[in-house]
Amino acid sequence: MSNGLTYKDAGVDIDAGNALVDAIKPLAKATSRRGADVALGGFGAFFDLKAAGFKDPVLVACTDGVGTKLMVAQAARQHHGIGIDLVAMSVNDLVVQGAEPLLFLDYFATGKLDLDAAKDVVAGIAEGCKLAGCALVGGETAEMPGMYAPGHYDLAGFAVGAVERDQVLTGDSVSTGDIILGLQSSGFHSNGYSLVRRAVELSGIGYSDPAPFADGITLGEALLVPTRIYVQSCLAAVRAGHVKALAHITGGGFIDNIPRVLPKGLGAEVNAQAIPLPPMMKWLAKTAGISSLEMARTFNCGVGMAVVVAEENADAAHAIFAEHGEKVLRIGRIVDLAEGPQVKMLGLESWAKP
């Protein structure tokens, strides 16, 4: 009897997939938390909300990826941080609803499985889960020959959180005169990388070359600093009763994201002079000739999370965030909306100064 065609001959290595599962089991187990008994290999994962301490919870679910930042990671062959990014993009969206992240699942798709790269990615995912306080309960690895170029992979993340019904953050209580605090970002986070990559092409600088805006670091390392995870600091401020609304500043910058938490008839004034534009973003704007307004509607510009608080609670909220390691800026105020854009950027000319 002749030997027939096998799945491995077609480009899918089941043994490599099983080896990856075995390699990441300890990483997942290290993310265990109340309510989740992390054990990879089954068809699904259980989570016990009662064991986690919830009485009347509402579930909140988010999904996201990391966009074309993946292409920078693959070009620079630096995979760990992209796993943290994957977690951050979903859990930061959960916490703006007042929700505590509980569990996380990932989807890793590639043409041919590179075990070392995949382990680096999942190690980053596990680190991100620990930072967020959620359990990595499972995921899916898909090896699809012909779908992806050699060395390329794609990622998606899925997070589920919970919040007590009477503690859901909706933004309904936001009112005129409230203060907007900004929590400093760690860089571009995971948004705008199609524009970032185009600017890098124009600059003629490679990802392995020294960063022109910082000493002792390559351009690739600078661009791949992981997204900051704001879960613990934001939950602390929310549970203290100081927060009216949170806006995760992702693609669309201040201009598109802050309105998502504003009641009808209200707007926001954001003072760009109170927000030091990070050196890498100054370099990007100068290199590609990007206007300050375009920066404000594309990138986080140094603020990864906007926090709306009553003026009388601003100092107390600031103190809680600072205790949790956040750098806090007072960046604006809620105003009555008469006409024009819902978010008015004031002092943008300061970002264009050398």
Side-chain angles (χ1 to χ4, degrees):
M1 183 175 178
S2 62
N3 292 328
L5 191 66
T6 67
Y7 208 7
K8 188 172 183 178
D9 293 332
V12 178
D13 190 341
I14 294 174
D15 292 333
N18 290 335
L20 177 61
V21 172
D22 288 338
I24 65 179
K25 279 181 179 178
L27 299 173
K29 188 175 182 179
T31 69
S32 183
R33 54 152 294 156
R34 283 189 308 158
D37 182 16
V38 179
L40 299 186
F43 289 96
F46 292 98
F47 192 95
D48 187 340
L49 286 166
K50 186 175 180 180
F54 288 92
K55 297 178 177 59
D56 184 23
V58 176
L59 291 178
V60 185
C62 292
T63 183
D64 209 341
V66 292
T68 59
K69 189 175 184 178
L70 276 175
M71 299 179 72
V72 180
Q74 291 160 15
R77 298 183 181 180
Q78 297 177 30
H79 309 287
H80 181 86
I82 215 77
I84 299 174
D85 286 310
L86 187 68
V87 177
M89 295 309 293
S90 282
V91 298
N92 284 342
D93 278 353
L94 284 180
V95 79
V96 301
Q97 311 297 315
E100 175 186 343
L102 303 177
L103 55 90
F104 189 84
L105 301 99
D106 69 278
Y107 174 78
F108 183 103
T110 187
K112 182 175 177 55
L113 187 61
D114 180 331
L115 195 57
D116 289 336
K119 284 194 296 185
D120 281 349
V121 171
V122 178
I125 291 171
E127 183 176 341
C129 285
K130 285 190 282 188
L131 290 170
C134 64
L136 175 59
V137 297
E140 173 70 10
T141 302
E143 196 172 18
M144 298 183 284
M147 182 69 76
Y148 298 93
H152 284 232
Y153 57 84
D154 197 10
L155 293 173
F158 311 87
V160 176
V163 56
E164 297 291 1
R165 192 177 305 272
D166 61 355
Q167 296 174 9
V168 175
L169 279 183
T170 64
D172 287 347
S173 65
V174 172
S175 58
T176 303
D178 287 343
I179 299 298
I180 306 172
L181 302 177
L183 307 185
Q184 189 177 57
S185 68
S186 55
F188 287 107
H189 286 181
S190 300
N191 298 103
Y193 273 79
S194 295
L195 182 53
V196 170
R197 290 185 302 106
R198 181 66 180 129
V200 170
E201 289 175 8
L202 290 172
S203 75
I205 300 173
Y207 293 122
S208 61
D209 293 332
F213 46 80
D215 295 328
I217 189 171
T218 67
L219 178 60
E221 289 168 338
L223 294 178
L224 290 170
V225 172
T227 305
R228 187 165 180 81
I229 292 176
Y230 298 101
V231 168
Q232 302 303 333
S233 61
C234 286
L235 284 179
V238 168
R239 288 167 177 168
H242 298 320
V243 176
K244 290 190 173 187
L246 294 164
H248 186 198
I249 307 302
T250 54
F254 301 108
I255 292 172
D256 283 351
N257 286 294
I258 292 177
R260 296 166 72 176
V261 299
L262 297 181
K264 187 176 180 180
L266 294 183
E269 290 182 347
V270 176
N271 180 13
Q273 291 179 310
I275 305 169
L277 195 65
M280 75 167 72
M281 297 187 190
K282 276 186 173 287
W283 171 80
L284 183 90
K286 182 177 180 181
T287 298
I290 304 170
S291 71
S292 295
L293 182 60
E294 184 67 13
M295 293 292 290
R297 67 188 300 268
T298 304
F299 302 111
N300 65 57
C301 297
V303 171
M305 186 72 76
V307 187
V308 181
V309 299
E311 187 167 17
E312 62 269 21
N313 292 330
D315 290 342
H318 188 293
I320 289 174
F321 285 118
E323 286 170 8
H324 283 78
E326 307 289 1
K327 184 170 181 181
V328 190
L329 305 168
R330 188 176 287 216
I331 65 170
R333 180 178 295 273
I334 304 300
V335 297
D336 289 321
L337 183 63
E339 57 182 16
Q342 200 167 9
V343 175
K344 294 181 180 178
M345 299 296 302
L346 308 178
L348 278 175
E349 64 279 358
S350 65
W351 286 355
K353 294 179 180 177

